[in-house]
Amino acid sequence: MKKTLLIIAVSFFTITMYSQKEKETKFKYGFNFGKGKQSIFPFGDKDYKYETTFYKGQINYTFKESGKFSFEINIEPSVYISEHQLLNKHFITPQENPNYIEEREIMTKNKTMKEYVLNLGVISRYHVNNNLSIYALGSVGPMTIDTKTERMAKGFSFSDIFAFGFSHKFKKVIVDFRYGIRHVSNFQLKNPNSGYNSTNFETGFLYIF
């Protein structure tokens, strides 16, 4: 947790210092809130339940503009509070785990997990008019999770996000709505590594400095 907060603080300080050199600021800061489920299309694995509520800080920098398009770096320090439960006890096999009966009993109980994430991504945005825009976002970043399950080891992992959204600007405030999919795994650094998936809906705002 301390390392995650340090990364967020350093990122925020570096971006703020750089923005002071810009004649016309291209930075925006804000906050998003959202919810997600594994059971929503395009996912729907019947082996497990995964539902999450998340809170994101938003640090956004426009690095290129071309006609109606703009391209932005997006940094999202986030906290996910997730509910997980093994639904199919046969996911844990005797071949992989000699203590499979005990493990099934433990893993089929509902668990609350906390995930601390720092996603780094790029937004490609199309400006419909001066106030309305639509965009696509792709991002990846390190994270840590505080609970072991039958699908994921506790500790260091990665968060991958792909999303679509639209934004509306009201003077210096931008209201944002977003639909996205997210995958969590540790790239085979630890076992198990089946990962979690979720379909997410979120909303929030950005303030133009």
Side-chain angles (χ1 to χ4, degrees):
M1 179 60 178
K2 290 182 179 179
K3 292 182 179 179
T4 302
L5 292 174
L6 178 61
I7 292 171
I8 294 170
V10 171
S11 300
F12 185 86
F13 176 77
T14 302
I15 289 175
T16 302
M17 291 299 294
Y18 183 78
S19 68
Q20 293 175 357
K21 299 178 182 179
E22 296 287 322
K23 292 181 180 179
E24 181 179 346
T25 181
K26 297 182 179 180
F27 282 82
K28 299 179 281 291
Y29 302 90
F31 177 83
N32 271 29
F33 165 79
K35 289 181 176 289
K37 290 185 178 182
Q38 188 277 143
S39 58
I40 300 175
F41 179 85
F43 305 115
D45 191 330
K46 295 182 179 180
D47 285 335
Y48 72 105
K49 179 189 83 172
Y50 178 80
E51 300 179 358
T52 187
T53 299
F54 52 89
Y55 308 87
K56 296 180 176 182
Q58 298 280 328
I59 305 171
N60 183 281
Y61 172 68
T62 302
F63 66 90
K64 184 177 181 180
E65 294 176 294
S66 178
K68 284 184 171 291
F69 287 92
S70 65
F71 302 90
E72 306 157 16
I73 295 172
N74 198 58
I75 302 176
E76 296 181 347
S78 313
V79 176
Y80 289 74
I81 302 172
S82 307
E83 298 290 327
H84 171 82
Q85 184 177 14
L86 173 63
L87 301 178
N88 175 18
K89 67 178 182 180
H90 299 291
F91 184 85
I92 300 173
T93 65
Q95 291 80 11
E96 294 179 350
N97 193 327
N99 300 320
Y100 70 97
I101 295 178
E102 180 182 352
E103 192 75 1
R104 285 175 177 176
E105 185 176 348
I106 294 172
M107 295 303 174
T108 50
K109 294 178 180 178
N110 192 70
K111 296 176 176 61
T112 299
M113 311 183 295
K114 292 182 180 178
E115 307 166 33
Y116 303 98
V117 190
L118 182 62
N119 265 85
L120 310 173
V122 174
I123 289 175
S124 177
R125 187 183 300 275
Y126 177 79
H127 298 268
V128 179
N129 55 42
N130 289 335
N131 296 318
L132 180 65
S133 64
I134 57 176
Y135 65 87
L137 162 69
S139 69
V140 64
M143 61 168 277
T144 183
I145 189 167
D146 69 353
T147 304
K148 174 188 173 183
T149 71
E150 81 287 348
R151 302 187 65 85
M152 279 279 293
K154 176 181 176 181
F156 185 77
S157 190
F158 295 92
S159 169
D160 308 319
I161 295 173
F162 184 72
F164 294 99
F166 69 91
S167 303
H168 196 284
K169 183 170 68 172
F170 300 90
K171 293 186 177 179
K172 284 187 171 292
V173 177
I174 299 172
V175 179
D176 183 64
F177 300 91
R178 188 182 301 173
Y179 160 85
I181 56 176
R182 177 174 180 251
H183 175 69
V184 175
S185 67
N186 60 42
F187 292 174
Q188 301 298 331
L189 296 176
K190 298 179 181 179
N191 286 314
N193 184 40
S194 296
Y196 311 115
N197 297 314
S198 63
T199 299
N200 301 328
F201 298 90
E202 58 188 280
T203 185
F205 68 92
L206 288 164
Y207 186 79
I208 304 170
F209 280 79

